[in-house]
Amino acid sequence: MKPVSRTVLKRSLAASAGTIILGSIAVMLWTSQHEPDISSGKDTTTGATSSRAKDIRTGSGRAISKENHQAKFQAELDDLIAALDSPDWHVRQQALARMAAFLKSLPREEAIRLSMALLESGVDKEIPGQKFAVGQNAGLIENPSLRVFFLDQLGQLCKEGNRPEAHEMALKILESKVSADEWAISLRNIAWHDAEGARQLIAEKTLEMIRHEDWLRSPTNGFLESMDGLVYTGQMEALADFNKFLDLGRDNPLKAVGSVGYSRMTDLYPVEVARRINENPDLLQEQADVRADVFAKMNVTESAQVAQLETYLDRQDIHPEEKAKAIKGLLSPKLYKFFGLMNEPTPITESQEGAAERWDNIQALVNKWEQDDRYPELNQAFDEIANAVAVGRADDELARVRDDYTADYMRKNPGVAMADVPPLVFSNNDPVDEVPPSNPMPEAPDLKPGEKRAK
Amino acid sequence: MTTNNLLRRVSRSRTIKGVFAATTALVAFPAGSFACVQGPTVEGGNAFSMRWWQYTCCIGGCSGSLVRGKRVVLTAGHCIGSDAGTKSFWRCLQNEQHLGTALGSYAVVLGGWANGQNQVSDMGYNVTRTGLSSGDTMWYADQASAYNNSHNHVQLGYPAEGGWNGRTPGWCLTVGPNRYWNTPGDPRFFTNDFFLWGGMSGGPVFERWDWNYGIKQVGINNWSDRCNNAGSRRIDGEAIALLNGAPTN
């Protein structure tokens, strides 16, 4: 082994010591800027005495662990911030996923502490190409900024651990209108912390948002997603705001909020929405299609909903064409399904038998109206409903014939897969119907990977 | 074959004699109606089998694919329109063999507050009252490798205009490798260098797959600028999660 000279050793030691000292200073500086004040036993993020901070000081092993976490967090954060400048969407997305995984790998209290420290520090960075997007279980699948990302992570960590920090941070954010996206995720965090107790606050704050002119002028995705709070809290007064949005230009993103708002509100509060519309004739006066869709969602087996539907049909200010659309729509309503910040996607599980039963119930109600000669101007629509119900029954019969045939064929031809059963052919003299398509499918070239086909 | 023809034939059997009289109004009824056709079964010797298009449906002026059993027709959100019931109709084909027709029972648009009217939400499904075929689920949707250019793709639908003039049955495009790519900046879409005719909206994009694992749909036809640029909404994790709530019977 080559001997190491004393000078070299000294330089080496000096360099190492220098590195350590510089590193320590850097950590201390960062800590002083970004961390809660643990030396005083106070958590500056909450203003409350922190038992967590005390715990950190009581055990040297834990303190070392904390510093390790701190350093690793800083390294991960540096990597993340660098990656967010990448032009590649996947690189940015993977970097965020890495940070999320890192936070989850930490003891929860550490992850919360570090997330809080970052949020308190004011550090932020826009994430190019990403908007506020909600995924399953109200988690964000896209984040418009670093702070929104950490607010989302903090909310999830606190939800899992039943901790108050995300709620406390949210209340701070809601004190001033800086970022609609941060408001949106904060409202979710509040709902997670106190599902029932926070409804009033969420209602007030969401209504504040929907009427804040600056945010209305250029609504961010977070702003739009926060409208879920109005549905979550059943804010009927928001129907007037939705109405205004519906009257906006086709390309205005708020227009979709109007459509989705009426649809989701009606899914959850059908009687209240219908009553509101009936008691306020100006509501949806210029939006006949939307109003018809609302009443098309009424459940004809619920007397309160039928009462509102009949009030609507009795109204003289509504054109019969719109009423016809509404009652025919009873057969096949439209719903929105999506992951909301506060509401689960609407569960829709109507079976084939359930659909048949629902249609029969609609037919029974229509029969009653006809017997009472209640809405003569809608007789044509009644006929169309009767025909549709009959066609539905015929379809059911056809399906039964088809299924019986298939089962019979498979029984007689053991080993034949269901998909290989020839189509049902009826013996008659009608022309060409069973002839396969005359034009063959074009040959698909069996190209090798990487080989290009000429245009 | 029209629905009325089919019904006329079946009405000759004792099974549904009693209901035939009511069926003639189907064409006039504006509710959504669906017809799935069964084409020839050609397998082997080609990159693509044709079996999958047995389950491609005609929905009014659009296309769709039968998924999750017999009643769920996956399509584009813009094909669902302002409500479930006003889209028509089923007769855009000739020489088809119907697996069945059915009226829409309800429709679901997979879109919410922030994307209620844009292409991200241009995806939805209709649930028919009656099952459309006697087959079980024939394909599954998968988010993986949707733009894998080493795979072949086929893009189906029933063009209501253009070269097929709406009267020719509806396989539409066979796509070789290297003709799909990511839509820059948005992983929810992929793009190809074909254009789609009106009527193909909502039709499925299938990816060549190991046949041992069945058929795999990776996208939904969404748009075309008629200049050899077309786009498809990728069936991603979100789409799968939302579809998971759809009925299977």
Side-chain angles (χ1 to χ4, degrees):
Chain A
M1 183 186 290
K2 190 179 177 181
V4 180
S5 74
R6 189 169 286 185
T7 311
V8 170
L9 190 60
K10 273 184 181 174
R11 282 179 184 164
S12 177
L13 283 171
S16 301
T19 305
I20 290 166
I21 290 165
L22 281 173
S24 302
I25 290 169
V27 168
M28 285 168 67
L29 276 173
W30 193 93
T31 301
S32 67
Q33 286 176 344
H34 299 290
E35 278 229 281
D37 177 10
I38 58 171
S39 61
S40 64
K42 284 275 211 178
D43 184 340
T44 54
T45 59
T46 65
T49 302
S50 166
S51 59
R52 169 175 47 81
K54 285 176 186 170
D55 288 345
I56 290 168
R57 291 189 303 158
T58 54
S60 60
R62 293 198 64 174
I64 290 167
S65 172
K66 170 184 163 291
E67 283 175 10
N68 282 344
H69 293 150
Q70 184 77 58
K72 284 181 184 168
F73 176 74
Q74 183 60 47
E76 291 284 344
L77 186 63
D78 290 344
D79 288 349
L80 171 60
I81 289 173
L84 293 183
D85 288 328
S86 165
D88 188 328
W89 185 92
H90 292 281
V91 171
R92 299 195 296 271
Q93 195 72 353
Q94 283 162 6
L96 290 165
R98 253 195 329 272
M99 175 57 87
F102 171 71
L103 289 173
K104 281 188 172 53
S105 74
L106 295 176
R108 187 177 292 119
E109 64 183 34
E110 276 292 273
I112 290 172
R113 183 181 65 81
L114 292 165
S115 299
M116 285 291 282
L118 182 126
L119 290 164
E120 287 288 347
S121 75
V123 168
D124 198 11
K125 186 175 176 66
E126 189 182 340
I127 302 179
Q130 291 218 2
K131 292 180 175 177
F132 189 105
V134 185
Q136 275 182 284
N137 303 317
L140 296 192
I141 52 176
E142 283 191 41
N143 305 269
S145 71
L146 197 65
R147 274 179 63 80
V148 169
F149 170 80
F150 274 98
L151 285 167
D152 179 35
Q153 296 300 314
L154 180 65
Q156 298 193 34
L157 290 163
C158 289
K159 185 185 182 194
E160 289 161 9
N162 195 25
R163 295 280 299 253
E165 288 87 345
H167 179 256
E168 291 159 1
M169 176 60 71
L171 293 177
K172 278 187 188 178
I173 288 168
L174 295 181
E175 284 171 6
S176 58
K177 290 191 182 66
V178 175
S179 158
D181 289 345
E182 289 186 22
W183 267 53
I185 198 70
S186 296
L187 288 170
R188 184 209 65 180
N189 288 349
I190 287 172
W192 274 358
H193 181 70
D194 183 10
E196 290 308 312
R199 280 179 189 268
Q200 184 61 30
L201 175 66
I202 291 169
E204 285 169 11
K205 290 296 178 183
T206 324
L207 283 171
E208 238 181 86
M209 286 186 85
I210 201 174
R211 290 160 189 174
H212 186 59
E213 289 299 328
D214 285 351
W215 287 350
L216 279 172
R217 264 194 292 278
S218 51
T220 63
N221 271 22
F223 174 87
L224 302 173
E225 293 290 355
S226 70
M227 298 300 110
D228 217 36
L230 298 169
V231 175
Y232 177 72
T233 56
Q235 284 304 298
M236 290 301 135
E237 60 180 289
L239 295 178
D241 298 274
F242 292 155
N243 195 157
K244 283 182 203 160
F245 295 163
L246 283 164
D247 291 337
L248 295 171
R250 190 166 175 266
D251 294 332
N252 192 313
L254 291 171
K255 198 173 177 70
V257 168
S259 304
V260 175
Y262 268 98
S263 181
R264 292 291 288 130
M265 282 285 210
T266 311
D267 289 343
L268 295 177
Y269 317 100
V271 175
E272 291 83 351
V273 173
R275 182 183 296 123
R276 193 91 176 185
I277 292 171
N278 282 331
E279 289 175 355
N280 297 276
D282 289 343
L283 220 46
L284 298 179
Q285 198 58 267
E286 303 299 318
Q287 301 291 339
D289 280 352
V290 176
R291 187 167 52 192
D293 286 348
V294 165
F295 287 93
K297 286 173 180 275
M298 295 297 113
N299 180 345
V300 300
T301 63
E302 297 284 337
S303 59
Q305 294 184 46
V306 171
Q308 289 302 327
L309 177 61
E310 291 178 339
T311 302
Y312 165 77
L313 295 177
D314 284 332
R315 282 174 60 174
Q316 297 302 307
D317 61 325
I318 294 175
H319 197 280
E321 199 175 311
E322 179 193 322
K323 295 176 185 174
K325 181 177 187 289
I327 59 171
K328 288 191 288 186
L330 291 167
L331 297 172
S332 50
K334 171 187 168 184
L335 306 98
Y336 286 94
K337 191 175 177 188
F338 56 92
F339 299 119
L341 269 178
M342 291 168 226
N343 297 283
E344 292 293 312
T346 310
I348 311 157
T349 55
E350 187 178 67
S351 66
Q352 192 164 329
E353 293 74 22
E357 187 180 343
R358 180 165 57 83
W359 284 28
D360 286 346
N361 289 330
I362 293 164
Q363 181 65 70
L365 180 62
V366 166
N367 289 344
K368 180 173 166 293
W369 286 337
E370 280 191 304
Q371 282 164 13
D372 297 344
D373 198 22
R374 189 153 178 190
Y375 306 109
E377 74 277 19
L378 298 176
N379 278 344
Q380 187 183 336
F382 294 159
D383 288 346
E384 290 178 12
I385 288 173
N387 285 331
V389 172
V391 168
R393 289 174 185 152
D395 284 347
D396 288 349
E397 289 296 330
L398 273 173
R400 269 192 280 279
V401 169
R402 222 171 41 224
D403 289 348
D404 288 349
Y405 156 78
T406 303
D408 187 53
Y409 188 94
M410 291 174 73
R411 186 171 49 77
K412 289 175 180 168
N413 300 276
V416 172
M418 193 177 280
D420 292 328
V421 175
L424 183 58
V425 175
F426 303 102
S427 55
N428 57 61
N429 297 320
D430 285 354
V432 302
D433 292 330
E434 286 78 33
V435 177
S438 54
N439 53 335
M441 192 174 185
E443 286 292 311
D446 229 351
L447 300 180
K448 294 171 186 170
E451 188 179 355
K452 287 192 176 181
R453 192 169 86 172
K455 285 186 186 177
Chain B
M1 178 172 61
T2 67
T3 299
N4 287 341
N5 280 343
L6 176 64
L7 290 169
R8 192 160 68 248
R9 292 169 191 185
V10 180
S11 73
R12 291 170 187 157
S13 74
R14 284 183 299 177
T15 318
I16 63 162
K17 265 184 182 170
V19 296
F20 167 62
T23 63
T24 52
L26 174 62
V27 175
F29 187 71
S33 182
F34 311 89
C36 290
V37 300
Q38 177 157 9
T41 300
V42 181
E43 287 194 73
N46 195 292
F48 294 106
S49 161
M50 294 204 46
R51 287 178 62 177
W52 48 35
W53 79 282
Q54 295 175 6
Y55 301 94
T56 299
C57 301
C58 176
I59 312 167
C62 280
S63 302
S65 55
L66 191 57
V67 303
R68 290 177 66 84
K70 304 177 182 180
R71 297 174 61 220
V72 181
V73 180
L74 186 63
T75 186
H78 73 259
C79 293
I80 289 173
S82 68
D83 61 39
T86 56
K87 278 290 171 182
S88 63
F89 215 70
W90 56 276
R91 192 185 178 187
C92 58
L93 302 175
Q94 187 179 41
N95 294 341
E96 74 275 34
Q97 295 183 344
H98 285 274
L99 286 176
T101 60
L103 295 171
S105 172
Y106 61 93
V108 177
V109 174
L110 305 181
W113 300 108
N115 52 26
Q117 287 179 328
N118 65 18
Q119 289 185 340
V120 174
S121 69
D122 198 5
M123 180 170 53
Y125 58 85
N126 285 281
V127 179
T128 63
R129 165 178 162 150
T130 305
L132 275 164
S133 83
S134 54
D136 54 4
T137 300
M138 285 305 297
W139 63 268
Y140 65 96
D142 195 336
Q143 58 181 315
S145 66
Y147 53 93
N148 188 332
N149 261 333
S150 67
H151 293 183
N152 288 336
H153 296 80
V154 64
Q155 207 155 350
L156 299 180
Y158 294 122
E161 56 180 33
W164 291 272
N165 199 28
R167 300 295 300 168
T168 307
W171 51 266
C172 286
L173 295 167
T174 310
V175 185
N178 298 311
R179 302 193 72 168
Y180 275 81
W181 51 87
N182 284 318
T183 301
D186 199 333
R188 291 168 297 205
F189 296 93
F190 51 90
T191 311
N192 61 57
D193 61 357
F194 289 87
F195 61 81
L196 307 177
W197 297 105
M200 291 178 68
S201 276
V205 180
F206 289 114
E207 186 178 43
R208 182 183 180 180
W209 191 243
D210 184 339
W211 290 106
N212 292 326
Y213 293 94
I215 297 168
K216 176 176 163 182
Q217 180 174 351
V218 294
I220 298 166
N221 299 333
N222 285 124
W223 59 270
S224 169
D225 65 2
R226 308 290 173 86
C227 296
N228 284 16
N229 285 303
S232 304
R233 174 64 161 89
R234 188 191 305 281
I235 294 178
D236 56 7
E238 182 185 18
I240 298 287
L242 288 166
L243 261 174
N244 279 340
T248 54
N249 63 344

